[in-house]
Amino acid sequence: MILGLDASTSTVGWAFSDSGKIVEAGFLDISSHETNKEKAFFVLDYLRSTLLLKYVTEVNLEAALSGFAGGRTSQQVIIKLARFNAVFEYIISEETGLKVNLCNVNTMRKQLFGKSRVQGIKPKEYVKSKIVSYLDVSKYDKKKPKGGWDERNSDMYDAVVCALYKP
């Protein structure tokens, strides 16, 4: 089983795949946790609670900053994300004993969809439009309290791409 993770400083998308099929997927809001260590252990504790973590043989983690377009993100955010990803990768690896593959988002999308992006379409929208051809993601989608689609589902979709990727 492969665990796919898409980590940002406020949301972590996760997905478990087995033999090329998604078994479970979702996202976690980590914005209320103060330190990178607290955030990483919050995610790890949640993943352990699913009971699927014990079947995982490897972890695919979207490499920090591999898909950023120049000029859209501040230096502070980039530094904060890189620091969190380093701590997150270390804690996941040390606590589980699993190999963590740092995967380039464009490489993963290209392997799964045949292209990494399409000009004029934002990357998150591209993944959202393509992932439905692989599986029914609606069963994993979460809604906002008023019923609208939660944009954090996009992080889960990226984690699905990570879980289906074969390094």
Side-chain angles (χ1 to χ4, degrees):
M1 187 172 291
I2 297 172
L3 170 60
L5 295 166
D6 173 46
S8 74
T9 56
S10 61
T11 306
V12 173
W14 56 271
F16 292 97
S17 72
D18 190 24
S19 302
K21 294 185 178 120
I22 297 300
V23 177
E24 190 66 50
F27 65 82
L28 295 169
D29 184 333
I30 59 171
S31 62
S32 64
H33 298 278
E34 291 291 318
T35 68
N36 290 333
K37 183 177 175 182
E38 288 172 2
K39 291 176 182 194
F41 275 105
F42 174 77
V43 173
L44 182 59
D45 289 344
Y46 176 83
L47 294 172
R48 284 179 174 148
S49 77
T50 68
L51 302 179
L52 291 172
L53 189 60
K54 63 184 174 185
Y55 301 109
V56 171
T57 55
E58 65 184 304
V59 179
N60 289 341
L61 172 61
E62 184 178 303
L65 315 177
S66 64
F68 274 93
R72 292 191 194 166
T73 305
S74 73
Q75 285 182 336
Q76 267 74 26
V77 170
I78 290 170
I79 291 167
K80 193 175 180 181
L81 180 60
R83 289 178 64 189
F84 173 62
N85 256 25
V87 169
F88 189 52
E89 174 197 358
Y90 177 78
I91 287 174
I92 294 292
S93 176
E94 287 297 307
E95 290 290 318
T96 65
L98 295 167
K99 179 182 180 198
V100 177
N101 303 310
L102 292 177
C103 306
N104 181 290
V105 65
N106 292 321
T107 302
M108 291 187 295
R109 288 177 187 158
K110 188 170 184 178
Q111 184 184 92
L112 195 61
F113 305 135
K115 307 179 170 187
S116 61
R117 58 182 41 188
V118 173
Q119 191 172 0
I121 299 175
K122 292 182 179 179
K124 296 278 187 189
E125 289 299 318
Y126 175 67
V127 170
K128 184 178 176 183
S129 71
K130 296 298 282 183
I131 203 74
V132 295
S133 65
Y134 287 88
L135 66 139
D136 178 14
V137 287
S138 64
K139 62 184 171 184
Y140 304 117
D141 283 349
K142 291 184 182 174
K143 303 286 184 192
K144 288 183 175 181
K146 292 187 179 182
W149 189 79
D150 193 321
E151 58 276 347
R152 295 174 298 179
N153 287 315
S154 291
D155 295 306
M156 180 256 301
Y157 291 178
D158 284 339
V160 166
V161 172
C162 289
L164 295 173
Y165 177 67
K166 295 172 185 83

